[in-house]
Amino acid sequence: MNAHDALNTLAVLGVFLLMALPSLIGHAHDRRIDRQLRDAERGQGPEPGLDPEPGRTLAAQNSSSKETEPSTATWYADGRRSKKLVSS
């Protein structure tokens, strides 16, 4: 095998790795989610050291605890709806 053949082989393996990597990452992600769901069914908390945001405490969620403002898109749509269509 000469150097040219070795480079071709490495190129093919590199392309294969680039194509397979997203699938392998997705598979690992699915396995992690499945493990978390299994642990939640058993009533176990998250494993120590796997806290996604250390130092953050979870507060009780209350959807009406804070008044929200409408987004710009809502404001724009309301303005458009209020204008009368005039046929000429």
Side-chain angles (χ1 to χ4, degrees):
M1 181 185 275
N2 59 25
H4 194 275
D5 290 339
L7 286 176
N8 286 341
T9 303
L10 285 175
V12 168
L13 289 175
V15 168
F16 175 76
L17 181 65
L18 286 175
M19 292 179 68
L21 192 60
S23 175
L24 295 173
I25 291 171
H27 181 67
H29 183 260
D30 287 346
R31 289 184 54 115
R32 181 176 59 88
I33 297 297
D34 289 342
R35 185 177 61 243
Q36 289 175 347
L37 289 173
R38 236 184 352 262
D39 290 345
E41 279 182 352
R42 293 183 194 145
Q44 298 174 353
E47 294 180 17
L50 293 180
D51 190 14
E53 296 180 27
R56 181 177 175 209
T57 58
L58 296 176
Q61 183 177 2
N62 186 356
S63 62
S64 62
S65 63
K66 179 182 173 188
E67 193 66 33
T68 59
E69 296 179 17
S71 68
T72 304
T74 305
W75 172 80
Y76 178 75
D78 287 342
R80 297 285 295 170
R81 276 189 226 114
S82 66
K83 294 183 180 179
K84 303 278 185 190
L85 292 177
V86 178
S87 59
S88 49

